[in-house]
Amino acid sequence: MKVKETGVSYYGISYPEHAEKDFKEMISHNCNAVILALSEFDIDFWFPNIIKVAKVAKDLGLKVYLDTWGIGKWFGGEPPSIFLTNNPGNRQVSAVTNEQLPAVCFNTKAFQDYFYGICEKLATEVEADGFFWDEPHYALPKSYASITGGAGDDWSCRCPVCQKDFEQQYGYEMPRVLTKEVIAFRENNALEILEVASRIIKNIRPDSKITCCVHATINNYYVKENRGYDDWNKVCKVDAFDVFSTTIISYKLPRSYFKSITQQTVDVARKYGKGSQRWLMNYYQEPDKIEEIKEIAHLYADMGVESLFAWTYRGGHGTVLAAPHALEMWDMLGEAYGEVLSKEYKIK
Ligand SMILES: [Zn+2]
């Protein structure tokens, strides 16, 4: 198996002529793809230039994927949500405390209409190769169970809309504990909105490649994080998804963990005939030796991963989440990509 794709995420997109320089730098770092991380503000305010920036990247030979970054605080990412600002309702609600949480309930019609509208607009007007579903999750996931386990009490969403839907489906009041039915209900709804959005996109742009990227967590018999996308078989079964992806892993974790997550990613992707993608951390944290990025890239390549992506361009240089040696990390990533990317996929 060969690595066919190497890329980074790119945010803060404003001017196509500036982005062009950055894209050329990505190509010189052996990238052949870019994920444009688009916040709600970007989509709302910078839309004309998103179209142009995507075109510049395409013209240079990069594959372009659109990331609905942090939208509704349902997807992963730092950007604030315009929808949440404008809609005091439609929020996820904690099951135990009944508090409204700073994340939209994606089971509400108002948010679904908003999200489908964004997907339709992007698919219609932006010439991209696909979409990237970036760490979708229910709120509260981290309080639940760390990698070392630990029981969690609270979960979401138990808002009036979810409660009503649950009762209609199951015929009794939505419990405050995570029964099997509640887990299934949450997972089904979490996938349904992405499935519908993916179909909307493919109806407009049939060749769009849809990547679903979930948290790289071992959800085993004993520990499950209950983000709603924890059953990888169930996620991979969705027809509208083309690539199954698992997100970055902390460099503080043992390499055996990297291997285990990657094996599971590749296995489940193959089982359902999907492409596989693994992520490298290129911001915030560094391995003990920066060269270790190469070892990890080779590990992923040797295990049969087809697409490698890193968060983010220039190691997050200039942001509060920059890697301590951000530019060195970026250069090392470029070298690593140069070693693993198959020659025929390299942009000349
Ligand atoms: Zn809800």
Side-chain angles (χ1 to χ4, degrees):
M1 197 62 83
K2 291 170 173 175
V3 174
K4 298 175 182 170
E5 195 171 70
T6 45
V8 284
S9 63
Y10 182 62
Y11 44 68
I13 306 143
S14 310
Y15 297 101
E17 61 276 24
H18 297 176
E20 184 174 359
K21 283 189 201 161
D22 299 342
F23 293 147
K24 284 180 176 165
E25 187 183 322
M26 288 176 202
I27 292 167
S28 73
H29 281 67
N30 298 302
C31 293
N32 66 2
V34 62
I35 281 178
L36 302 181
L38 306 171
S39 70
E40 288 177 59
F41 177 75
D42 293 329
I43 295 164
D44 191 54
F45 191 74
W46 285 102
F47 197 74
N49 273 7
I50 291 174
I51 300 169
K52 289 181 185 162
V53 165
K55 189 170 182 317
V56 166
K58 288 285 294 171
D59 288 348
L60 288 169
L62 290 163
K63 290 255 187 255
V64 177
Y65 300 98
L66 308 178
D67 174 357
T68 49
W69 190 34
I71 290 191
K73 306 308 283 181
W74 156 43
F75 291 102
E78 292 73 21
S81 165
I82 294 178
F83 183 90
L84 279 178
T85 309
N86 293 341
N87 292 271
N90 299 299
R91 283 170 189 251
Q92 288 187 46
V93 171
S94 125
V96 174
T97 67
N98 248 348
E99 291 284 343
Q100 284 206 330
L101 302 170
V104 298
C105 174
F106 46 82
N107 299 324
T108 61
K109 188 176 182 309
F111 181 74
Q112 290 182 348
D113 286 350
Y114 173 75
F115 180 62
Y116 297 149
I118 285 176
C119 293
E120 196 177 324
K121 185 172 154 184
L122 288 169
T124 306
E125 301 199 40
V126 184
E127 272 189 52
D129 296 281
F131 279 68
F132 180 75
W133 303 140
D134 188 347
E135 300 180 345
H137 63 280
Y138 281 94
L140 287 178
K142 301 236 171 171
S143 62
Y144 254 77
S146 68
I147 192 60
T148 49
D153 297 320
D154 207 355
W155 55 274
S156 61
C157 174
R158 199 173 173 279
C159 76
V161 172
C162 286
Q163 284 193 55
K164 201 173 150 207
D165 279 2
F166 182 92
E167 193 157 348
Q168 271 171 359
Q169 276 186 47
Y170 291 91
Y172 60 93
E173 192 188 343
M174 192 180 203
R176 282 184 192 275
V177 290
L178 277 174
T179 60
K180 280 201 164 149
E181 289 77 19
V182 173
I183 291 170
F185 173 83
R186 291 171 88 245
E187 288 179 351
N188 294 344
N189 284 344
L191 280 174
E192 197 188 333
I193 179 169
L194 288 183
E195 213 172 336
V196 172
S198 304
R199 272 194 256 113
I200 289 171
I201 291 161
K202 288 188 173 188
N203 277 337
I204 298 165
R205 215 174 270 277
D207 293 336
S208 284
K209 203 189 248 189
I210 308 285
T211 302
C212 189
C213 179
V214 300
H215 287 87
T217 308
I218 289 184
N219 289 302
N220 60 25
Y221 187 86
Y222 298 104
V223 180
K224 207 175 163 195
E225 291 200 347
N226 291 306
R227 286 181 162 103
Y229 301 87
D230 318 282
D231 183 339
W232 292 1
N233 275 285
K234 205 164 165 177
V235 174
C236 252
K237 253 188 231 171
V238 175
D239 275 346
F241 300 162
D242 303 290
V243 179
F244 180 67
S245 170
T246 50
T247 191
I248 53 165
I249 296 174
S250 163
Y251 288 116
K252 305 297 172 207
L253 289 166
R255 293 300 173 260
S256 58
Y257 184 75
F258 283 67
K259 213 168 168 180
S260 163
I261 286 288
T262 305
Q263 193 63 57
Q264 289 179 66
T265 305
V266 171
D267 286 350
V268 73
R270 274 194 197 136
K271 185 171 163 190
Y272 294 98
K274 314 286 182 187
S276 55
Q277 182 179 83
R278 282 288 301 123
W279 278 76
L280 290 143
M281 194 173 203
N282 212 257
Y283 76 106
Y284 188 54
Q285 248 187 17
E286 297 174 359
D288 291 337
K289 287 186 196 136
I290 288 180
E291 297 76 29
E292 287 173 50
I293 296 171
K294 284 191 181 179
E295 287 165 30
I296 296 167
H298 278 283
L299 174 76
Y300 291 172
D302 293 346
M303 292 182 79
V305 179
E306 292 156 8
S307 171
L308 300 189
F309 261 88
W311 197 280
T312 182
Y313 170 65
R314 284 192 177 174
H317 184 60
T319 69
V320 292
L321 293 179
H325 304 89
L327 297 177
E328 284 170 51
M329 284 283 282
W330 168 228
D331 287 343
M332 190 58 71
L333 180 76
E335 285 182 33
Y337 279 174
E339 289 180 15
V340 297
L341 178 63
S342 285
K343 292 232 166 7
E344 67 259 45
Y345 293 98
K346 199 173 176 254
I347 298 176
K348 303 282 181 301

